[in-house]
């Protein structure tokens, strides 16, 4: 077994991997950016090396800096965690070329599965069902039209190099083909420097089911009971659970066998995940893609199987026996994970980095918290907004759910907005309680209105304004919460009515200037000088916060001037156009 391992990551996953190392008596080496000099993971490790300034592109993603830290620390292996360089074949190869052990699958396998078309072909060869689709990439609208004639609408256009929803478009009818094709190809080029896209029949209301696999050092592959990851928003998972409330035992067996066959066929070693779509009949399933890394949601599998997946990864990488076989993998109980993100669900899940004041994690029976933060920590804007994962375990789903509600109520994160209120709503909602949800539930069916801060009732003109404040007072040993109401002088600014919001849209503007509501890159200009526009019309498409956002007109009028064009980066508040 290794004496020392470098963890090429930060936040909760870095701490989580370091804990597995500690369990095995392995010394840990952290890498950190200038922003993480006092971060939890940096201080948890036995050694820590600075790899560069705050931006990930200048630190956590700089291969030579990571390798330099590995050499200087005397690390014998590198664990990449997830995200950052975890699925970067060149990095994996560089680690191996430096004489170190890569804790993950072979670089060629990372490359192979990174190409969704090649992954689909590997699935077909392993007799694993895939969604009916084109065997090769498409470039012309006519090809999409021909496909839809055979398979009907809706169809999905997807990036070959894609994943996570980037370069993903749903086409409901012929009229949408052209725009969807160019949009998907543009996004694919922007995100993956590869504009290739392909077409599939689009499954309505599917569930997102994934199977953990583990290839041991002797080429045996073990598969684990599924994770249901359907509760997503804009391709960002929010809640995951195991087992899936939608999977019958015979379907579980078939899907676990399918994942094992695929992993065996490509000679998979170490931990990986096969993603499937389960059709709304809860019988037919289709291979989507394979992730060649440990996933965020791996703890739910650890809890229902009793296997520490990171310890297993380290043992496989060291060429050791993992100590269990497929027959040892049983499904016991139920686990649920809620991703605790520094995001404000009441404001379209807008990232909400900032300073955490008091911070208290829940505990008690069946509660696990994998966290990368602590009291008085500042959540940086530079990195992914997930600050922790709250995972609960119960003998059955209802016990796991109730424990999650208890833990969410105990979880205290003072100073920033988090997704805790969203999860409290989600876990109590009938869609979750019934288990009857799908990939569109969060975005299309869940009512998030209760999360909107209840605006204080505005006093009528002339009526005094009253502020309310809560206090805890003690009277003869008893504690009472009291609400004090304080009269203030009225200083009320009447706000202009805001135009209707489209999903994934934003409006910014005052007077005749249309301004950028957030920092980002203009990827599309939807109007030209002289066009007549109405409030709410899309003027630009701005790429920010990992997604494309429509920038809507804030007024009725004529486009007098366009200040930006596709490709321009803009700061918050920048004037984008003049509409009068
Ligand atoms: C699909 C699909 C339905 N039909 N493909 C693509 C990115 C991957 N992470 C999930 N993707 C999907 N591919 C076909 N043919 C549904 C999904 C999907 C999804 C799509 C839109 C919004 C959220 C989603 C969550 C999980 C799966």
């Amino acid at each position: 077994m290794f004496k020392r391992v470098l963890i090429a990551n930060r936040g909760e996953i870095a701490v989580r991997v370091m804990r597995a190392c500690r369990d095995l008596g392995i010394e840990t080496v952290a890498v950190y950016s200038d922003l993480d000099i006092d971060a939890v993971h940096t201080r948890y490790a036995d050694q820590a090396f600075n790899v560069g300034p705050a931006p990930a592109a200048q630190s956590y993603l700089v291969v030579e800096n990571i390798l330099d830290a590995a050499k200087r620390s005397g690390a014998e292996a590198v664990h990449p965690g997830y995200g950052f360089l975890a699925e970067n074949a060149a990095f994996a190869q560089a680690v191996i070329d430096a004489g170190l052990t890569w804790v993950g699958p072979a670089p060629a396998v990372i490359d192979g599965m990174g190409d969704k078309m090649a992954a689909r072909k590997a699935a077909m060869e392993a007799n694993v069902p895939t969604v009916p689709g084109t065997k090769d990439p498409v470039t012309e609208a006519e090809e999409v039209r021909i496909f839809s004639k055979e398979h009907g609408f809706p169809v999905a256009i997807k990036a070959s190099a894609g994943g996570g929803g980037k370069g993903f478009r749903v086409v409901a009818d012929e009229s949408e083909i052209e725009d969807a094709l160019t949009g998907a190809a543009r996004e694919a080029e922007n995100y993956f420097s590869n504009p290739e896209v392909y077409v599939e029949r689009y499954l309505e209301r599917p569930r997102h089911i994934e199977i953990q696999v583990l290839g041991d050092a002797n080429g045996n592959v073990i598969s684990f009971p599924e994770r249901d990851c359907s509760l997503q928003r804009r391709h960002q998972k929010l809640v995951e659970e195991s087992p899936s409330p939608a999977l019958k035992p015979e379907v579980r067996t078939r899907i676990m066998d399918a994942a094992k066959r695929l992993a065996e066929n490509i000679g998979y070693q170490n931990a990986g995940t096969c993603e499937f779509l389960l059709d709304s009949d809860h019988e037919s399933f289709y291979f989507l893609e394979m992730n060649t890394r440990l996933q965020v949601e791996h703890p739910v599998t650890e809890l229902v199987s009793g296997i520490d997946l990171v310890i297993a990864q380290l043992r496989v990488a060291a060429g050791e026996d993992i100590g269990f076989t497929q027959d040892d993998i049983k499904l016991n109980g139920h686990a649920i994970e809620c991703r605790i993100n520094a995001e404000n669900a009441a404001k379209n899940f807008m990232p909400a980095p900032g300073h955490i004041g008091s911070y208290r994690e829940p505990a008690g029976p069946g509660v696990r918290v994998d966290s990368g933060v602590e009291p008085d920590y500042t959540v940086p804007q530079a990195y992914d907004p997930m600050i922790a994962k709250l995972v609960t375990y119960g003998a059955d789903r209802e016990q796991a759910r109730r424990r999650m509600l208890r833990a969410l109520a105990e979880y205290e994160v003072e100073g920033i907005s988090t997704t805790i209120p969203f999860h409290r709503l989600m876990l109590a909602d009938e869609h979750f309680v019934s288990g009857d949800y799908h990939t569109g539930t969060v975005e299309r069916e869940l009512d998030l209105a209760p999360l909107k801060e209840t605006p204080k009732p505005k006093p009528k003109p002339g009526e005094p304004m009253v502020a309310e404040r809560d206090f805890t007072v003690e009277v003869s040993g008893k504690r009472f919460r009291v609400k004090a109401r304080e009269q203030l002088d009225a200083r009320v600014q009447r706000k202009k009515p805001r135009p209707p919001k489209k999903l994934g849209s934003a409006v910014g503007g005052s007077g005749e200037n249309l301004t950028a509501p957030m920092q980002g890159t203009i990827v599309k200009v939807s109007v030209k000088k002289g066009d007549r526009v109405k409030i709410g019309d899309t003027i630009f498409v701005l790429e920010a916060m990992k997604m494309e956002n429509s920038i809507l007109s804030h007024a009725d009028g004529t486009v007098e001037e366009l200040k930006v064009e596709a490709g321009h980066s803009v700061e918050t508040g920048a004037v984008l156009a003049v509409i009068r």
Side-chain angles (χ1 to χ4, degrees):
M1 180 44 78
F2 310 115
K3 187 177 174 311
R4 190 172 298 131
V5 171
L6 180 142
I7 293 85
N9 217 298
R10 65 177 300 281
E12 70 85 15
I13 191 59
V15 176
R16 190 278 173 259
V17 172
M18 290 177 192
R19 283 172 166 149
C21 291
R22 284 250 173 115
D23 289 355
L24 291 176
I26 298 171
E27 280 184 37
T28 55
V29 180
V31 291
Y32 65 90
S33 71
D34 295 350
L35 212 51
D36 282 337
I37 192 160
D38 286 325
V40 173
H41 82 280
T42 309
R43 300 194 335 264
Y44 189 93
D46 298 305
Q47 295 183 66
F49 290 79
N50 181 289
V51 285
Q58 297 171 41
S59 49
Y60 293 107
L61 296 174
V62 182
V63 171
E64 51 271 26
N65 296 1
I66 308 278
L67 292 183
D68 180 51
K71 282 177 203 137
R72 284 160 55 200
S73 68
E76 298 150 303
V78 172
H79 192 299
Y82 53 67
F84 288 148
L85 296 168
E87 295 185 286
N88 183 312
F91 176 56
Q93 192 55 57
V95 167
I96 294 164
D97 294 348
L100 306 171
T101 300
W102 169 254
V103 183
V109 171
I110 297 175
D111 244 350
M113 291 298 103
D115 174 344
K116 305 307 165 194
M117 301 286 317
R120 279 165 57 85
K121 286 183 180 127
M124 291 172 201
E125 282 153 22
N127 194 22
V128 169
T130 54
V131 184
T134 55
K135 276 190 73 59
D136 299 303
V138 299
T139 51
E140 301 303 325
E142 187 49 27
E143 297 172 271
V144 182
R145 211 166 281 117
I146 292 164
F147 179 86
S148 60
K149 285 269 184 298
E150 185 187 344
H151 293 276
F153 283 108
V155 298
I157 298 180
K158 303 165 108 172
S160 296
K166 304 274 187 313
F168 179 90
R169 291 292 188 282
V170 183
V171 181
D173 61 51
E174 274 209 30
S175 69
E176 296 178 0
I177 292 178
E178 201 66 58
D179 263 4
L181 193 55
T182 47
R186 179 187 66 235
E187 216 172 80
E189 179 57 33
N190 285 350
Y191 278 101
F192 312 110
S193 319
N194 173 351
E196 257 186 27
V197 294
Y198 61 100
V199 188
E200 287 178 347
R201 178 164 66 81
Y202 181 68
L203 276 64
E204 314 250 16
R205 304 164 64 86
R207 294 182 85 118
H208 186 125
I209 301 291
E210 59 184 34
I211 300 292
Q212 180 73 54
V213 294
L214 183 74
D216 72 13
N218 312 315
N220 308 309
V221 172
I222 292 165
S223 58
F224 291 75
E226 78 283 358
R227 297 188 286 258
D228 192 324
C229 307
S230 305
L231 294 174
Q232 309 192 9
R233 178 187 169 277
R234 302 176 86 182
H235 298 289
Q236 303 299 319
K237 294 167 183 168
L238 287 161
V239 181
E240 303 98 344
E241 65 176 311
S242 179
S244 165
L247 227 47
K248 297 183 280 282
E250 63 273 14
V251 181
R252 171 170 302 114
T253 303
R254 284 177 29 231
I255 206 166
M256 283 176 66
D257 289 347
K260 184 190 291 209
R261 270 201 313 277
L262 172 53
E264 281 167 347
N265 269 33
I266 61 175
Y268 200 87
Q269 280 220 334
N270 216 284
T273 296
C274 294
E275 283 189 12
F276 295 87
L277 290 176
L278 179 70
D279 218 336
S280 37
D281 63 4
H282 294 180
E283 287 281 342
S284 24
F285 57 84
Y286 305 94
F287 171 77
L288 256 191
E289 53 196 81
M290 181 169 196
N291 302 319
T292 54
R293 66 177 189 273
L294 180 71
Q295 303 219 191
V296 169
E297 57 271 23
H298 73 273
V300 299
T301 300
E302 296 188 315
L303 287 165
V304 299
S305 68
I307 299 292
D308 183 312
L309 289 167
V310 180
I311 287 180
Q313 282 190 287
L314 292 163
R315 289 196 167 128
V316 168
E320 285 193 1
D321 187 335
I322 50 179
F324 56 87
T325 65
Q326 185 68 58
D327 291 345
D328 300 312
I329 303 304
K330 306 292 180 220
L331 167 54
N332 285 306
H334 199 102
I336 301 168
E337 176 183 89
C338 289
R339 297 191 185 201
I340 311 301
N341 301 338
E343 291 173 333
N344 187 339
K347 292 189 176 146
N348 223 6
F349 288 83
M350 200 79 151
H355 183 79
I356 292 175
S358 61
Y359 175 79
R360 241 167 61 85
E361 294 175 354
V367 178
R368 165 175 164 176
V369 183
D370 283 13
S371 153
V373 300
E374 60 190 348
D376 201 26
Y377 174 75
T378 297
V379 178
Q381 180 184 11
Y383 309 119
D384 190 285
M386 189 174 76
I387 58 174
K389 293 156 3 191
L390 174 55
V391 198
T392 55
Y393 176 82
D396 57 28
R397 185 171 190 265
E398 183 56 11
Q399 186 177 52
R401 186 185 75 88
R402 299 192 71 83
R403 283 175 165 173
M404 181 60 79
L405 286 168
R406 163 180 47 91
L408 287 164
E410 285 179 27
Y411 211 147
E412 185 193 327
V413 187
E414 194 261 336
I416 61 168
S417 299
T418 70
T419 45
I420 291 171
F422 163 79
H423 290 304
R424 299 182 70 176
L425 182 79
M426 184 75 248
L427 271 277
D429 185 274
E430 187 47 29
H431 290 95
F432 187 86
V433 174
S434 67
D436 182 18
Y437 58 79
H438 55 88
T439 56
T441 296
V442 172
E443 288 181 283
R444 300 200 296 268
E445 298 174 7
L446 195 66
D447 174 16
L448 295 181
L451 295 179
K452 308 278 181 218
E453 279 101 19
T454 40
K456 295 271 177 291
K458 287 269 179 290
K460 296 183 186 54
E463 248 188 32
M465 218 171 136
V466 174
E468 290 180 351
R469 291 172 64 202
D470 295 329
F471 292 92
T472 299
V473 294
E474 184 188 303
V475 178
S476 323
K478 291 277 301 162
R479 292 156 49 78
F480 296 91
R481 289 289 286 171
V482 295
K483 190 177 288 294
R485 294 167 62 83
E486 192 183 353
Q487 193 160 311
L488 305 172
D489 60 304
R491 285 185 310 280
V492 179
Q493 297 292 326
R494 284 269 163 259
K495 288 217 167 32
K496 273 188 316 204
R498 306 290 291 178
K501 276 206 179 282
K502 286 179 189 159
L503 184 70
S505 68
V507 182
S510 59
E512 59 189 29
N513 290 337
L514 175 62
T515 55
M518 63 191 88
Q519 188 265 342
T521 305
I522 300 292
V523 291
K524 186 177 180 184
V525 181
S526 306
V527 298
K528 52 187 186 310
K529 193 168 171 346
D531 280 1
R532 291 285 304 158
V533 295
K534 289 196 167 312
I535 284 185
D537 285 355
T538 297
I539 308 300
F540 299 101
V541 175
L542 177 80
E543 189 272 317
M545 298 185 304
K546 295 187 178 182
M547 293 312 292
E548 294 197 349
N549 300 273
S550 299
I551 306 303
L552 311 178
S553 175
H554 63 298
D556 296 344
T558 304
V559 178
E560 297 296 342
E561 202 178 336
L562 289 167
K563 302 270 191 181
V564 292
E565 54 190 64
H568 282 193
S569 294
V570 296
E571 292 304 319
T572 307
V575 177
L576 306 177
V578 176
I579 297 173
R580 63 168 88 96

